Amino acid sequence: THEFADQIYLRKMVLKKGIVVVGAKHNHKHIWFLLSGKVTIKENNEIITHIAPCYTISKPGAQRIIHADEDSIFVNIHKNPTNTTNIEDLEKEIVSFDFEIFKT
């Protein structure tokens, strides 16, 4: 789901246990929160298990593979200086798609 506040874009994912999400490469520093559940994340060749509640500051270039170890709620907070509500425009600004992650 998507929520908006003044110059802020919030993206919430509700993950069912066992789901795997491959994220796009993030262009900017941002914050993500794990509000409930437990996830294992591979980011930059490091694997870390996170148990809610927790948060992390994500650096530019971060790209994550997320495995939901339990039903979980995962939230990203991004800047939105133009206050657009157009998701396609926001995605062009905040992420880049890197298909190298799919190579074996």
Side-chain angles (χ1 to χ4, degrees), residues 2 4 9 11 27 80 82 84-97:
H2 309 277
F4 303 91
Y9 167 52
R11 178 182 290 206
N27 296 331
N80 182 9
T82 65
T84 185
T85 57
N86 183 305
I87 303 304
E88 289 179 10
D89 289 345
L90 279 165
E91 285 184 342
K92 288 176 187 174
E93 173 64 26
I94 64 175
V95 297
S96 298
F97 293 96

Side-chain angles (χ1 to χ4, degrees), residues 39-102:
V39 296
T40 299
I41 297 177
K42 180 179 182 187
E43 181 179 338
N44 301 326
N45 295 318
E46 183 176 22
I47 298 173
I48 299 175
T49 297
H50 299 273
I51 300 171
C54 66
Y55 73 93
T56 298
I57 297 175
S58 185
K59 296 178 182 173
Q63 184 171 22
R64 295 182 283 278
I65 300 172
I66 304 167
H67 177 268
D69 301 324
E70 301 175 357
D71 290 352
S72 303
I73 298 175
F74 191 94
V75 173
N76 280 294
I77 307 290
H78 293 282
K79 62 183 176 178
N80 182 9
T82 65
N83 282 321
T84 185
T85 57
N86 183 305
I87 303 304
E88 289 179 10
D89 289 345
L90 279 165
E91 285 184 342
K92 288 176 187 174
E93 173 64 26
I94 64 175
V95 297
S96 298
F97 293 96
D98 180 0
F99 294 101
E100 290 295 314
I101 197 166
F102 294 106

Side-chain angles (χ1 to χ4, degrees), residues 9-58:
Y9 167 52
L10 180 146
R11 178 182 290 206
K12 179 175 87 172
M13 293 188 300
V14 176
L15 305 170
K16 294 292 184 188
K17 180 179 180 178
I19 288 288
V20 174
V21 176
V22 178
K25 188 175 285 188
H26 289 83
N27 296 331
H28 306 284
K29 187 176 186 179
H30 69 283
I31 300 172
W32 64 260
F33 295 86
L34 184 61
L35 300 180
S36 66
K38 177 180 171 184
V39 296
T40 299
I41 297 177
K42 180 179 182 187
E43 181 179 338
N44 301 326
N45 295 318
E46 183 176 22
I47 298 173
I48 299 175
T49 297
H50 299 273
I51 300 171
C54 66
Y55 73 93
T56 298
I57 297 175
S58 185

